[in-house]
Amino acid sequence: MMLGKFLTIDGFQMPNPVPGTFNDDPNPVENVFHTESGRRMTNIVRLNRYSFSCTFNCTSMMKERILNFCMKPSVNITVNGVSHKGTLRTNGSSALVENSEYCRGTNGLWVVPVVFEEE
């Protein structure tokens, strides 16, 4: 999936995620309760809540930009022309690519996993 021209965060054009890591899925929001007899009761609050996870290979400057987006209470994300408002968070820790600290013009190349959940 080539998302480079289709994925923006707060109007900023994002690079392509690592191939094979962009997973989007509309998830329902549900409250699950159990009765005294052990029966499961589900209250569906909202259907098709949009979320995705992906991983970016990026420079140290792009890593800082992504981490700044993750610290905001909410962001506007556009995927393939459809806008969504929600939270962007890191999904694990960022990893420095081996020996990339020697690349000129950057403090290394990074692997940054993120997850987005629509409000």
Side-chain angles (χ1 to χ4, degrees), residues 3 7-9 12 14-18 20-25 27 50-59 62-72 75 77 79 86-95 110-118:
L3 295 176
L7 179 61
T8 63
I9 301 175
F12 182 79
M14 296 301 293
N16 286 340
V18 173
T21 66
F22 187 87
N23 300 308
D24 61 342
D25 189 24
N27 296 314
Y50 184 75
S51 65
F52 72 80
S53 63
C54 68
T55 300
F56 292 103
N57 286 340
C58 56
T59 64
M62 178 61 77
K63 173 190 170 225
E64 291 306 315
R65 184 177 291 260
I66 292 170
L67 294 179
N68 285 334
F69 286 138
C70 290
M71 291 174 23
K72 288 180 151 186
V75 293
I77 290 188
V79 179
T87 56
L88 183 72
R89 299 288 177 250
T90 56
N91 188 17
S93 59
S94 302
W110 295 83
V111 177
V112 182
V114 296
V115 63
F116 171 79
E117 293 181 339
E118 187 177 37

Side-chain angles (χ1 to χ4, degrees), residues 29-35 39-45:
V29 177
E30 301 175 336
N31 292 322
V32 179
F33 305 96
H34 293 88
T35 64
R39 186 173 181 168
R40 182 179 161 176
M41 304 290 289
T42 304
N43 178 23
I44 298 174
V45 178

